[in-house]
Amino acid sequence: MVTCINDALVPQTGRAVVTLLRRLGVDVDFPEGQTCCGQPMVNTGYLDEAVPVVRTFVRAFEGYDAVVTPSGSCAGCARHQHAIVARRSDDPAFVAAVEETAPKVFELSEFLVDVLGVEDVGASFPHRVTYHPTCHSLRMLGVGDRPLRLLRAVRGIDLVELPGAEQCCGFGGTFAVKNADTSVAMGADKARHVRSTGAEVLVAGDSSCLMHVGGLLSRERAGVRVMHLAEVLAAQEGT
Amino acid sequence: MPPFPEAARIALANTQLRTNLAHATATIRDKRARVVAEVDDWEELRTAGAATKDRVLLDLDTHLVRLEESLIRAGATVHWARDAEEACRIVADVAKAHHVDEVVKVKSMATQEIGLNEALAQEGISAWETDLAELIVQLGDDLPSHILVPAIHRNRAEIREIFLAGMARAGRPAPEGLDDEPAHLAEAARLHLREKFLRAEVAVSGANFAVAETGTLVVVESEGNGRMCLTLPQVLVSVVGIEKVVPTWADLDVFLQLLPRSSTGERMNPFTSTWTGVTPGDGPQEVHVVLLDNGRTRALADEVGRQALRCIRCSACLNVCPVYERTGGHAYGSVYPGPIGAILNPLLRGVGVDDQVDSLPYASSLCGACYDVCPVKIDIPSVLVDLRAQVVDAHRGGVPRPEAVAMKAAAATFRRPGLLRAAERLTRPGLAVVRRVGASAWTGARDLPPAPKESFRAWWKRTDGGRS
Ligand code: SF4
């Protein structure tokens, strides 16, 4: 599942997922009936509006073995919040369909480590990198150190620890707009910690958080790039 | 009180406040993490604490009736208060019956919630806070900013100023030549407060727990001021939220382990006081207990939100909250700030009538740190999302707000992939417009990523999924 943000704003992340999974021998498809997991509506409280979006999600992915998404946040929404939306519809068939789909949804690092059983994905990325564990990956899904285990196996990487890594970057979906000042204050602290590591690249498993922190780093002309975990894991010598 | 985003903007501009808060929350956060890590069965304790509270909430009426019977048997007078006004009236009447113009108080969230000090002041009765931090807040004509550390937003230089300027007006003046050494500040407070304890005839308290089987109230504290209030004055009035009841003494066990580690990062709190009605010749000779609803039954009726009534006011969720750390407590416009305040206020007061209350469920990035630390496992993020849905639903019908229009439009696009494809073709011009306007909430401080040449969807179609 390519998230709505990845699809429209950072399509290279989706392409990296495809490259990476194919390299590992996975048969990848992109059902064009998909749109969005519905999280923007759910987390802002628009549950009625989320009902048709979640229906579209479930319809697009029925019949697949696994749904892999490069976002802890969207995976968390599918696994924990779709059921709430479905119950709202008073449609038992929809509730059942959600119950069937939800456990098949995996965040990328979970799929690689738990389902495929790989940590070394054959990547090469000779750069100084620091990793931010996004809140929903960390707490809603509990991905633990899976992303770090994957990164440590990357050839040539210089992985440096991010101070205060577990603190929220301040994105939080519509929070970034509704409480823009607080969001920016949180993001500025995150950006400061990133700069303190001397890393060239900030890596995370959620493009939305990267867009927020990356937007601040770019405004500060910090010279730090942001990249999705999938892009680093897809990178190989000469690419 | 302005809605949260506006109040937060004011707080964010205060750099001293932000430095004080960041320092204080980080210190207490680390302390808590250290002492919690020592307990092997912490997760089991959390589960047990949550289960006990849930069990009580399920049969709240039965436990309360039992508590009332035990209290009366022990010689206390029991009052029921539906709301803040009733509760304040009961306390004022007790004070007036004893012809006093001042009372001493041990810090209590329930009495702050009902605005007791202000209500008593209107009757010509001064209520003196005896908790050190509360005293600082009161003398500084300020509002508490934290459940447990009400003066968390003040540093010691500010406290010295407050003591020098305020103590004389309230009783014994600050010692001459007072400096900002913590020990000297504490000594000044001790001298000032001792006079108050010895003089007061009526004391007011809250309670952390109320044991139904014996009618015993329990106060857990660090300074000993609570114990002074509970034992020295002749008359004691305790204002207790109805959710504080626990069935038996045995039930206290778990909470007395969970509370101090979660709140002050201590293995055990220095003072735990319990009192049961009246004991002739020892302690207060007249004890009144006010059992307070003030929205609690409303919260209880909320299927998702009722778990908030498990809260034991430890404030661990405040100390880990990245939003609270930046804005402090005042921005929440309530005595219950931080993550628990963001859900408790709307639950107690109801949504859809007050913009300030309705803004609180949105005062969170949903990072989930609060849920992880909560000793009674309140799933604050889920309650926040549920309350957001209640806020949205309360505003359905009538003229839709711009946000509702945007959400409906987004949902309409997302329900049909064809529409999304069409919309994405507009992304580049769309982004260009956003950038040119430049004043949107996003681009005020953040750049947007450069617009991609084509969406993933378009790429997949053009290249047959990357195969051509
Ligand atoms: S919600 Fe939980 S963490 Fe927050 S004050 Fe209450 S008991 Fe403590």
Side-chain angles (χ1 to χ4, degrees):
Chain A
M1 190 244 170
V2 173
T3 74
C4 59
I5 288 190
N6 281 321
D7 181 17
L9 296 174
V10 266
Q12 65 271 27
T13 301
R15 294 205 294 273
V17 174
V18 174
T19 308
L20 174 64
L21 291 180
R22 287 227 178 99
R23 194 163 80 211
L24 296 169
V26 179
D27 178 12
V28 186
D29 193 13
F30 171 79
E32 290 184 54
Q34 65 175 287
T35 56
C36 163
C37 67
Q39 188 176 198
M41 289 101 222
V42 178
N43 281 2
T44 316
Y46 290 82
L47 292 187
D48 284 351
E49 286 74 5
V51 171
V53 181
V54 174
R55 276 189 196 279
T56 304
F57 183 97
V58 173
R59 217 178 297 124
F61 293 109
E62 61 192 359
Y64 288 94
D65 299 328
V67 184
V68 183
T69 182
S71 162
S73 202
C74 303
C77 177
R79 287 228 290 264
H80 300 295
Q81 296 179 322
H82 278 187
I84 301 169
V85 176
R87 279 201 295 276
R88 179 108 167 169
S89 73
D90 274 331
D91 173 357
F94 180 30
V95 174
V98 161
E99 266 167 25
E100 187 163 332
T101 312
K104 291 193 306 195
V105 181
F106 297 94
E107 181 273 338
L108 179 65
S109 74
E110 290 179 319
F111 184 74
L112 296 174
V113 174
D114 299 352
V115 180
L116 299 186
V118 289
E119 287 186 15
D120 183 348
V121 297
S124 165
F125 191 73
H127 297 281
R128 192 177 172 91
V129 165
T130 194
Y131 171 75
H132 166 60
T134 57
C135 298
H136 286 178
S137 297
L138 190 69
R139 302 198 185 88
M140 210 188 209
L141 292 181
V143 301
D145 66 347
R146 290 176 185 82
L148 283 169
R149 268 146 62 195
L150 292 159
L151 284 171
R152 277 191 213 113
V154 171
R155 275 170 261 314
I157 200 166
D158 174 13
L159 192 60
V160 286
E161 199 180 316
L162 178 64
E166 298 195 352
Q167 269 231 358
C168 177
C169 73
F171 172 67
T174 44
F175 175 78
V177 184
K178 281 176 96 86
N179 280 284
D181 302 284
T182 311
S183 166
V184 166
M186 288 158 71
D189 286 344
K190 182 61 73 180
R192 182 165 48 80
H193 285 138
V194 171
R195 284 198 312 268
S196 79
T197 64
E200 301 160 59
V201 185
L202 168 67
V203 172
D206 261 288
S207 298
S208 44
C209 305
L210 285 174
M211 220 167 79
H212 167 66
V213 183
L216 285 159
L217 287 165
S218 146
R219 183 63 59 93
E220 294 167 4
R221 312 246 175 281
V224 184
R225 273 189 297 156
V226 298
M227 275 172 86
H228 193 281
L229 176 69
E231 293 173 66
V232 175
L233 297 180
Q236 284 186 311
E237 227 128 333
T239 56
Chain B
M1 189 70 197
F4 186 83
E6 283 162 48
R9 192 173 311 129
I10 300 164
L12 285 164
N14 184 341
T15 47
Q16 180 67 58
L17 172 83
R18 273 178 73 184
T19 313
N20 293 354
L21 277 167
H23 176 74
T25 53
T27 309
I28 193 161
R29 202 156 57 215
D30 293 347
K31 222 171 136 199
R32 178 207 156 268
R34 260 199 315 277
V35 298
V36 161
E38 294 171 355
V39 184
D40 290 334
D41 59 348
W42 185 254
E43 284 311 307
E44 285 81 40
L45 282 176
R46 287 177 78 204
T47 309
T52 302
K53 282 279 185 180
D54 277 350
R55 188 158 46 87
V56 171
L57 292 172
L58 222 61
D59 287 311
L60 191 58
D61 47 351
T62 322
H63 295 293
L64 285 170
V65 169
R66 192 143 169 249
L67 174 68
E68 179 181 37
E69 286 164 5
S70 307
L71 280 166
I72 294 172
R73 206 179 315 123
T77 308
V78 176
H79 310 259
W80 297 88
R82 227 169 329 209
D83 55 22
E85 208 187 317
E86 272 186 21
C88 290
R89 166 113 325 270
I90 294 164
V91 182
D93 285 348
V94 172
K96 281 199 274 185
H98 291 273
H99 311 288
V100 296
D101 60 4
E102 64 172 12
V103 302
V104 286
K105 277 184 69 200
V106 46
K107 173 179 172 281
S108 138
M109 297 308 295
T111 60
Q112 276 173 20
E113 175 189 324
I114 59 173
L116 180 65
N117 293 9
E118 296 75 17
L120 289 178
Q122 293 216 330
E123 307 272 354
I125 302 162
S126 318
W128 296 112
E129 297 292 346
T130 62
D131 171 272
L132 177 55
E134 278 297 326
L135 177 73
I136 294 165
V137 168
Q138 188 175 35
L139 293 177
D141 279 327
D142 197 359
L143 290 167
S145 175
H146 188 281
I147 293 181
L148 200 86
V149 204
I152 193 169
H153 57 304
R154 297 293 200 180
N155 62 28
R156 54 191 198 175
E158 292 173 299
I159 294 169
R160 171 180 172 268
E161 296 285 314
I162 290 170
F163 279 7
L164 286 173
M167 271 185 176
R169 181 160 44 86
R172 184 188 173 111
E176 259 173 62
L178 178 68
D179 58 25
D180 64 4
E181 274 302 305
H184 296 161
L185 293 171
E187 182 60 18
R190 192 173 294 126
L191 293 170
H192 178 83
L193 287 172
R194 184 148 307 161
E195 280 196 5
K196 291 235 148 68
F197 289 130
L198 292 172
R199 202 169 59 205
E201 288 167 46
V202 177
V204 178
S205 85
N208 293 90
F209 305 98
V211 185
E213 64 175 346
T214 52
T216 303
L217 303 182
V218 183
V219 156
V220 177
E221 47 139 357
S222 298
E223 295 172 11
N225 62 305
R227 182 162 295 180
M228 302 281 254
C229 286
L230 300 175
T231 47
L232 289 176
Q234 283 295 299
V235 181
L236 173 65
V237 192
S238 302
V239 182
V240 184
I242 53 174
E243 83 285 14
K244 298 281 175 190
V245 60
V246 293
T248 67
W249 275 79
D251 294 313
L252 285 179
D253 170 25
V254 160
F255 297 112
L256 293 182
Q257 296 182 65
L258 288 171
L259 183 53
R261 285 184 202 257
S262 301
S263 57
T264 45
E266 292 167 302
R267 296 186 181 89
M268 185 32 101
N269 49 286
F271 297 90
T272 301
S273 305
T274 67
W275 67 105
T276 311
V278 174
T279 309
D282 184 13
Q285 295 302 297
E286 191 181 318
V287 171
H288 296 265
V289 178
V290 184
L291 295 172
L292 175 72
D293 184 333
N294 205 31
R296 283 159 178 77
T297 48
R298 175 205 284 274
L300 191 63
D302 187 303
E303 226 175 288
V304 181
R306 71 170 61 118
Q307 56 184 307
L309 294 178
R310 289 185 208 146
C311 176
I312 55 174
R313 312 279 190 262
C314 72
S315 68
C317 58
L318 276 62
N319 299 324
V320 297
C321 177
V323 173
Y324 176 87
E325 185 185 327
R326 282 25 182 231
T327 64
H330 296 165
Y332 295 81
S334 150
V335 295
Y336 302 112
I340 182 62
I343 62 171
L344 198 56
N345 292 303
L347 285 165
L348 293 177
R349 294 165 59 188
V351 299
V353 279
D354 179 321
D355 280 347
Q356 196 271 332
V357 173
D358 285 0
S359 75
L360 292 177
Y362 293 95
S364 164
S365 65
L366 302 178
C367 80
C370 48
Y371 184 19
D372 276 8
V373 295
C374 177
V376 286
K377 284 192 165 174
I378 301 173
D379 183 353
I380 297 177
S382 292
V383 180
L384 285 166
V385 170
D386 188 71
L387 286 168
R388 289 177 185 186
Q390 293 186 28
V391 170
V392 167
D393 290 343
H395 291 282
R396 284 185 196 278
V399 184
R401 304 176 176 197
E403 174 192 281
V405 175
M407 278 295 163
K408 280 194 173 55
T413 313
F414 286 145
R415 80 191 289 176
R416 272 189 271 135
L419 280 179
L420 180 58
R421 197 162 48 238
E424 276 172 359
R425 263 187 245 120
L426 300 173
T427 300
R428 297 192 58 188
L431 280 177
V433 170
V434 169
R435 213 171 265 119
R436 199 149 342 108
V437 173
S440 84
W442 180 275
T443 48
R446 292 163 284 204
D447 286 342
L448 279 165
K453 280 194 207 53
E454 61 182 348
S455 69
F456 178 87
R457 191 175 296 275
W459 169 80
W460 182 274
K461 212 174 173 82
R462 181 174 59 79
T463 62
D464 184 24
R467 280 174 281 255
S468 63

